[in-house]
Amino acid sequence: MDLDTALDTTVKKQESELREMEARKRELQELAKQQRFRPSDEVSTFKLIKSIKEMVTATMTLVSSAKRGFVYVVPAEALVITSLFGINAEAKKLKELGGYAKGITNIAYADIAPAQEVLDIGEDLRHYPDYGGIYFAVVDKKHCVSAINVDIKRISLNEPISMIWTDDSTYADYLCSTFEMLWEQSVPAAERIQELLKRGSPQT
Amino acid sequence: MASGTIIESVKDAIAVASTIMESAEKEILWLLPPAMLVFGAQYGLDEKSKMLIEKGGRVRGVTAISGTYRDIVRKHLEIGEDVRHVDQYRGAFMLVADKRESISSLNVSIEDLSLDDRVVAFWTDDSSYAEYLIATFEDAWKEAVDAKKRFQEL
């Protein structure tokens, strides 16, 4: 193929891609228009959560009132909090009643015990290495808490965090879709724990 | 809270970003993985940004600038955007126009992002959601360093 033909092919390909993008834009605009004008009698609310104490209270309320189940993506430190403040006990009750509990976290050697505790109560837990996104949880595909800024330096009820709580079902759908994508990309926690145990403590 | 549309591919996210940029009248803020800038240029998004700036609008962006992406960031600076560099960003990615319309994602793989990848993003014109994203953007902006300073480091 000579240079002119190669250039011509490239230009044609790009023109075709741009046309395809314009067509997709119109389709998406139409879809968004339909969704925005879809009548809804639901009223959604949201509020800010500003400390671990408020997060524990909100999570406890949500998990204990869950009818179907919950999914979450959290830092491993949060598994210590769910254990200490009785959220795991509520999750266990939900599992015994047939509910679902699926979680994703980043498990290091120091997190084996809290991760194992979550597995022992029957939750489906997975490991996602070096997760760099936003942490969140969704209960009954409706109630959501998602982080604005969660950098837990110590496990204390007064530790400041910024999270948003909402019962907007569209937002819940969005978080659930994100969760499903991450779930596919993660590995079972039990596998990860075995791997870490085989490797041994990084300090020894 | 926000009612909106869930977007599930990189290509659709670019199509939505293009729509949002076309409708912007005053300001665009973006916080994106650098690969998205390459895809954006491929589909003419930088032209839309240029048009807004020529009409008196402002565009500010934050990304992770490495040697690989130096040229694409330079193009953004040349059209008049204010761009900053952030190291190891962990959080939501976004594009927000006029403090109202936005597309954002809770998790985008920063490395090895390709046009055919699956992403999950949220497109909404809810101003309270835009406010939440803008607060995140401003935090990153404060932490970030000027792109030109970053070029010197590289």
Side-chain angles (χ1 to χ4, degrees):
Chain A
M1 192 188 288
D2 63 23
L3 188 60
D4 282 346
T5 318
L7 277 172
D8 195 39
T9 309
T10 308
V11 169
K12 276 186 183 148
K13 185 170 177 276
Q14 193 169 14
E15 281 172 354
S16 146
E17 280 173 351
L18 281 170
R19 274 197 301 274
E20 192 189 310
M21 181 63 70
E22 286 303 317
R24 188 63 186 143
K25 257 166 73 178
R26 283 193 294 276
E27 279 171 27
L28 287 166
Q29 280 165 350
E30 196 50 45
L31 176 71
K33 215 183 286 171
Q34 285 164 14
Q35 292 188 344
R36 273 175 209 159
F37 294 112
R38 187 178 55 197
S40 167
D41 49 12
E42 268 188 63
V43 177
S44 304
T45 52
F46 75 95
K47 62 180 180 184
L48 287 172
I49 294 170
K50 293 177 180 168
S51 68
I52 287 189
K53 187 179 176 184
E54 287 182 12
M55 184 197 75
V56 168
T57 310
T59 311
M60 185 66 121
T61 309
L62 286 174
V63 172
S64 58
S65 61
K67 302 271 186 296
R68 291 183 285 164
F70 60 87
V71 298
Y72 59 86
V73 182
V74 298
E77 295 88 340
L79 300 182
V80 178
I81 294 169
T82 58
S83 172
L84 282 177
F85 297 108
I87 296 165
N88 284 359
E90 289 300 323
K92 190 177 176 204
K93 283 185 207 163
L94 178 70
K95 283 293 298 179
E96 285 165 358
L97 291 169
Y100 63 87
K102 291 167 80 176
I104 296 171
T105 192
N106 180 10
I107 306 169
Y109 193 86
D111 312 312
I112 290 177
Q116 189 60 55
E117 182 182 327
V118 164
L119 289 175
D120 291 344
I121 63 172
E123 288 189 25
D124 285 338
L125 185 69
R126 286 194 165 215
H127 163 71
Y128 189 105
D130 299 322
Y131 178 69
I134 294 282
Y135 298 113
F136 60 89
V138 186
V139 177
D140 288 342
K141 295 191 175 173
K142 179 163 177 68
H143 303 281
C144 327
V145 278
S146 64
I148 297 170
N149 182 17
V150 176
D151 182 15
I152 303 170
K153 292 188 173 64
R154 60 194 178 100
I155 311 291
S156 153
L157 286 176
N158 296 322
E159 182 77 358
I161 55 170
S162 302
M163 299 187 83
I164 201 163
W165 175 92
T166 180
D167 57 0
D168 183 282
S169 51
T170 310
Y171 197 65
D173 286 345
Y174 163 51
L175 296 184
C176 287
S177 298
T178 303
F179 180 86
E180 289 308 325
M181 184 187 72
L182 296 171
W183 186 260
E184 284 163 21
Q185 296 166 353
S186 53
V187 297
E191 251 176 51
R192 169 68 175 168
I193 290 171
Q194 284 309 310
E195 185 194 315
L196 289 167
L197 288 171
K198 212 180 283 174
R199 265 194 252 158
S201 165
Q203 286 161 354
T204 55
Chain B
M1 192 57 193
S3 281
T5 306
I6 299 166
I7 300 298
E8 300 204 341
S9 75
V10 172
K11 275 186 185 166
D12 281 0
I14 293 169
V16 168
S18 176
T19 300
I20 294 175
M21 291 175 83
E22 273 168 16
S23 68
E25 290 174 353
K26 292 179 189 161
E27 181 190 49
I28 290 170
L29 306 175
W30 55 259
L31 200 169
L32 295 169
M36 286 299 277
L37 304 184
V38 178
F39 303 147
Q42 207 170 319
Y43 288 103
L45 265 59
D46 44 357
E47 280 304 311
K48 295 183 197 308
S49 176
K50 191 178 170 197
M51 278 160 65
L52 176 68
I53 292 165
E54 283 169 356
K55 283 190 292 181
R58 188 176 182 202
V59 180
R60 285 191 290 152
V62 177
T63 192
I65 308 172
S66 63
T68 318
Y69 296 104
R70 196 174 4 199
D71 289 346
I72 188 76
V73 172
R74 190 164 281 133
K75 278 183 190 156
H76 280 257
L77 292 175
E78 280 166 9
I79 62 174
E81 292 188 10
D82 284 340
V83 184
R84 290 190 179 182
H85 159 77
V86 70
D87 254 334
Q88 295 177 329
Y89 174 73
R90 299 173 84 84
F93 288 101
M94 68 193 73
L95 185 143
V96 187
D98 295 339
K99 297 183 179 169
R100 188 172 179 86
E101 199 169 8
S102 64
I103 179 164
S104 58
S105 178
L106 299 184
N107 182 64
V108 178
S109 164
I110 299 175
E111 288 147 27
D112 306 326
L113 187 66
S114 91
L115 261 183
D116 297 315
D117 276 353
R118 188 177 171 218
V119 291
V120 181
F122 190 58
W123 175 21
T124 179
D125 60 359
D126 185 291
S127 53
S128 57
Y129 196 65
E131 228 173 87
Y132 153 62
L133 293 175
I134 291 167
T136 308
F137 175 87
E138 294 297 352
D139 278 349
W141 182 259
K142 265 184 246 159
E143 299 284 316
V145 298
D146 190 79
K148 287 174 192 156
K149 198 174 164 196
R150 174 66 175 164
F151 289 158
Q152 284 165 2
E153 282 170 11
L154 290 170

